[in-house]
Amino acid sequence: MKVIKKILLAILSIVILALIVALFLPNEYHVEREVTINKPKDSIFNYVKYLKNQDNFSVWAKLDPAMKKTFTGTDGTVGAIAGWESKDKNVGKGEQEIKKIIPGERLEFELRFKIPFESTDMAYMTTEAISPTQTKVKWGFDGRSPYPMNLMLAFMNMDQMLGEQLETGLQNLKVIQEGKQ
């Protein structure tokens, strides 16, 4: 009986310690990647502003070609929503809404994940002319992990995990855009 008590006390101590550590850990993270595309800025911006076009370059859209997709509102405008639902646990269920557009420069999205976990995060894409025929495109993600779930951020490298997916998506976009002449 004493052994069981000691084991339970040890487990309780570990849980309490983890909760205390989580109090001091950040609960937000930021991930951003960029690519230079040999196309004019307006051409790139006018492509990425449409949610339906993300299916062509986004890594997540390609994870489950059989996922159900819905679109509401006028694509490419504030308030447009793209929804997805998949049986693949890596895709889950959620929706993305265009929240703000600075024409030719910046798109802001609200991502509402529902399954496998609930979360609301922000993402954005920016276009910046480097020259009349070159554009720097940035794709970023701002996430939040509430206490005590923020403890997981200490063991997960969000910059690496999400960054690789953003990078792949931007490289896909580059291939698509530079292939169009």
Side-chain angles (χ1 to χ4, degrees):
M1 195 63 144
K2 285 184 178 183
V3 172
I4 293 174
K5 235 181 192 176
K6 285 182 180 182
I7 291 171
L8 289 175
L9 189 58
I11 291 171
L12 183 61
S13 297
I14 291 170
V15 169
I16 290 171
L17 179 62
L19 292 173
I20 291 170
V21 168
L23 285 170
F24 299 99
L25 292 176
N27 62 355
E28 296 178 350
Y29 55 92
H30 174 78
V31 180
E32 180 181 85
R33 293 295 186 270
E34 65 181 56
V35 69
T36 299
I37 300 176
N38 295 315
K39 288 287 275 208
K41 179 175 102 162
D42 289 342
S43 174
I44 304 292
F45 187 84
N46 288 330
Y47 183 82
V48 298
K49 76 177 185 180
Y50 293 101
L51 296 173
K52 288 181 183 176
N53 286 341
Q54 286 187 13
D55 288 348
N56 301 326
F57 62 89
S58 168
V59 173
W60 300 288
K62 297 180 184 303
L63 286 175
D64 179 8
M67 81 174 89
K68 290 194 310 187
K69 297 177 187 172
T70 59
F71 295 94
T72 57
T74 303
D75 198 2
T77 65
V78 172
I81 299 172
W84 69 89
E85 186 172 354
S86 171
K87 293 179 182 175
D88 183 326
K89 66 179 180 176
N90 295 311
V91 179
K93 180 179 179 180
E95 59 188 18
Q96 172 178 235
E97 180 178 354
I98 298 175
K99 296 301 265 184
K100 183 177 182 180
I101 298 176
I102 300 172
E105 294 180 23
R106 185 176 176 95
L107 298 159
E108 295 182 7
F109 311 99
E110 182 176 80
L111 299 165
R112 298 182 287 264
F113 302 101
K114 298 175 183 175
I115 296 174
F117 56 88
E118 285 199 36
S119 174
T120 300
D121 297 313
M122 297 301 291
Y124 61 88
M125 292 189 89
T126 64
T127 55
E128 175 187 340
I130 296 173
S131 74
T133 60
Q134 280 193 317
T135 305
K136 182 188 300 182
V137 180
K138 291 182 183 180
W139 195 357
F141 187 90
D142 293 307
R144 184 167 159 65
S145 186
Y147 175 84
M149 299 306 290
N150 64 323
L151 185 61
M152 291 191 313
L153 294 178
F155 303 101
M156 298 169 57
N157 186 339
M158 295 304 285
D159 187 70
Q160 181 182 356
M161 286 174 34
L162 277 176
E164 287 176 3
Q165 294 171 322
L166 293 176
E167 181 70 33
T168 300
L170 286 170
Q171 290 302 320
N172 292 342
L173 177 64
K174 179 178 176 76
V175 168
I176 291 166
Q177 287 299 302
E178 291 181 357
K180 290 183 174 183
Q181 299 298 334

